[in-house]
Amino acid sequence: MSTNITPQDLEKVVPQAEDFLPLLGTDYVELYVGNAKQAAYYYQTAWGFEPVAYAGLETGRKDSVSYVLQQDKIRLVLTSPLQPDGDINKHINAHGDGVKVVALWVDDATKSYEETVKRGAESYLKPTTQKDENGSVVFSGIHTYGETVHIFVERKNYKGTFLPGYMPWNKSYKTEPTGLKFIDHMVGNVGWNEMNKWCEFYAKVMGFAQLVSFDDKDISTEYTALMSKVMSNGNGRIKFPINEPAEGRKKSQIEEYIDFYNGAGVQHMALATDNIIETVSALQDRGVEFLTVPASYYETVLDRVGEIDEDLAPLKELGILIDRDDEGYLLQIFTKPVLDRPTMFFEIIQRKGAQSFGKGNFKALFEAIEREQQQRGTL
Ligand code: TYF
Ligand code: FE
């Protein structure tokens, strides 16, 4: 069984006036990585992100280094330790490279902290102000699943490139953007029977509402299963699906993630484009690897989704998947894991009306993931 709630329904459930945690958008996503300099080169060269800001020895930071990259509204921060020990090393040791911070852009970071901690959030960072010649930024933070955290960023009194403590990163090497626009959703994988607990966290602590729910009957193949619920904030700008493993005949992809990540964490970031054919062509040309589905998928897909604006040939050539709901259709494709551990991957998505998540593609997608698991010997 799956339930669909429209954005109109959502407004009734979470009236704007009563939103105690108004979120303006995703501010940045910070990954803790083993070698930020080379990771930055990967996101610049393969993904078309532009260098924006830098902090490290040159800016007076002694223990870590951070590179900030941006493509339209998507901002990534890549951070590596410069010394042994400390939290960043511990994070990398436990999880490999992965997302530490999903930073949320707010108008009032102090109120965001108070409202969420009052409702049961575990504090990560008390409201703190940082200043430089470009103004001041207020930060605060709370823990979410695993070792992942949310940092609230209030930047209305700041005019600098990124944040205080960073210098502009002017690199002569430039790459063309690949057409990525904004983060459509970010998915968390949590442990056995933990999905409801974390959905309740987003509902109670952050005022989110449940948009959609998929159980193991919606999303199980012959072999593996998972359950998923999509949580959304009041204005619908932030969507966080939460997955948990379900018992199947073989090992769930979610369980594989939890094993290799050593706990709960961000599984995928879905990046929106308004021309998926151009975006995916550019990414493939630059060596980004995507999951593939059998050619037979394209023999029946139009019977399922009806007429679409695009020609089927380039979609088939690139391996792009199609799905439709009451409001329209969507095009999506998934990369292979982008790290050595089979943990994080990316989704590229173009919405043409549809506000759902590609339920009609789940079977083909999960079978593609299983083929990869089989090659790794982890299924
Ligand atoms: O975010 C979603 O719900 C879709 C489908 O392990 C999906 O992208 C769900 C679970 C999963 C991979 C993709
Ligand atoms: Fe997704």
Side-chain angles (χ1 to χ4, degrees):
M1 243 265 303
S2 66
T3 42
N4 282 302
I5 297 172
T6 66
Q8 290 73 27
D9 293 334
L10 197 61
E11 268 174 23
K12 282 180 233 149
V13 184
V14 189
Q16 291 298 295
E18 289 171 31
D19 192 349
F20 62 83
L21 185 63
L23 301 175
L24 304 171
T26 309
D27 196 284
Y28 65 88
V29 176
E30 181 170 12
L31 290 94
Y32 283 175
V33 300
N35 187 335
K37 187 174 204 153
Q38 291 193 1
Y41 180 74
Y42 167 74
Y43 284 106
Q44 200 189 340
T45 303
W47 289 80
F49 281 81
E50 276 176 41
V52 171
Y54 168 85
L57 295 173
E58 295 81 347
T59 64
R61 245 209 233 175
K62 298 276 185 275
D63 55 351
S64 66
V65 58
S66 293
Y67 294 81
V68 184
L69 296 139
Q70 187 158 353
Q71 187 163 177
D72 205 317
K73 293 192 174 63
I74 312 164
R75 193 150 51 189
L76 298 181
V77 181
L78 302 164
T79 297
S80 284
L82 292 173
Q83 307 286 345
D85 307 322
D87 291 343
I88 306 171
N89 277 302
K90 265 197 258 166
H91 198 275
I92 295 169
N93 190 38
H95 309 299
D97 290 5
V99 173
K100 174 64 184 181
V101 182
V102 179
L104 300 168
W105 177 28
V106 298
D107 229 24
D108 187 339
T110 307
K111 180 167 184 281
S112 302
Y113 180 86
E114 285 165 358
E115 295 285 352
T116 50
V117 168
K118 179 170 90 187
R119 288 173 172 80
E122 190 194 329
S123 171
Y124 174 70
L125 176 69
K126 287 190 182 147
T128 311
T129 305
Q130 285 183 17
K131 294 188 173 98
D132 68 9
E133 68 279 9
N134 294 305
S136 66
V137 176
V138 187
F139 304 90
S140 63
I142 59 171
H143 288 268
T144 177
Y145 48 77
E147 289 202 280
T148 318
V149 301
H150 289 307
I151 289 186
F152 301 116
V153 184
E154 171 188 329
R155 51 169 71 255
K156 58 177 183 275
N157 297 315
Y158 194 68
K159 305 234 162 355
T161 13
F162 178 54
L163 292 173
Y166 283 79
M167 64 180 217
W169 177 23
N170 300 311
K171 209 178 168 188
S172 54
Y173 172 63
K174 301 276 182 237
T175 58
E176 282 295 307
T178 54
L180 300 169
K181 301 284 182 205
F182 60 89
I183 298 176
D184 184 275
H185 58 276
M186 284 190 74
V187 182
N189 279 348
V190 299
W192 292 96
N193 305 313
E194 283 188 353
M195 177 181 69
N196 285 328
K197 172 182 132 186
W198 286 107
C199 291
E200 277 160 29
F201 165 88
Y202 281 106
K204 189 176 136 233
V205 171
M206 296 184 63
F208 283 35
Q210 185 181 314
L211 267 188
V212 205
S213 162
F214 306 107
D215 65 21
D216 48 350
K217 278 158 218 73
D218 292 313
I219 37 184
S220 74
T221 61
E222 191 187 345
Y223 295 120
T224 67
L226 61 90
M227 299 206 278
S228 185
K229 282 183 180 172
V230 182
M231 304 303 290
S232 169
N233 81 317
N235 61 22
R237 288 187 207 176
I238 309 287
K239 284 171 281 191
F240 291 151
I242 306 286
N243 298 331
E244 74 174 24
E247 206 63 67
R249 278 171 54 199
K250 294 203 178 171
K251 188 176 197 156
S252 168
Q253 48 158 309
I254 310 305
E255 197 184 350
E256 183 194 28
Y257 174 101
I258 300 286
D259 285 355
F260 279 93
Y261 197 74
N262 253 302
V266 170
Q267 177 213 37
H268 76 267
M269 260 184 264
L271 307 179
T273 170
D274 50 27
N275 190 334
I276 198 167
I277 293 176
E278 282 182 11
T279 295
V280 173
S281 299
L283 292 170
Q284 287 189 2
D285 285 348
R286 299 179 196 193
V288 176
E289 294 181 312
F290 291 89
L291 296 174
T292 52
V293 294
S296 58
Y297 173 93
Y298 295 93
E299 286 165 19
T300 53
V301 68
L302 293 183
D303 302 336
R304 177 164 61 82
V305 302
E307 227 172 89
I308 56 170
D309 303 335
E310 294 75 13
D311 288 334
L312 193 61
L315 299 177
K316 179 178 174 184
E317 171 80 24
L318 295 164
I320 293 164
L321 309 175
I322 315 155
D323 196 27
R324 184 180 285 280
D325 65 20
D326 304 341
E327 294 170 278
Y329 70 99
L330 64 81
L331 304 156
Q332 63 184 170
I333 189 168
F334 297 83
T335 70
K336 294 181 180 181
V338 294
L339 306 165
D340 287 313
R341 301 190 196 197
T343 52
M344 193 183 74
F345 58 86
F346 288 93
E347 171 181 354
I348 311 299
I349 184 166
Q350 181 177 5
R351 295 189 181 278
K352 301 196 103 175
Q355 294 308 313
S356 49
F357 291 81
K359 184 181 162 194
N361 291 323
F362 284 177
K363 192 167 189 298
L365 168 65
F366 297 148
E367 284 171 353
I369 294 175
E370 282 165 21
R371 285 191 291 277
E372 295 290 313
Q373 284 181 279
Q374 209 128 31
Q375 286 178 10
R376 295 193 277 268
T378 54
L379 185 65

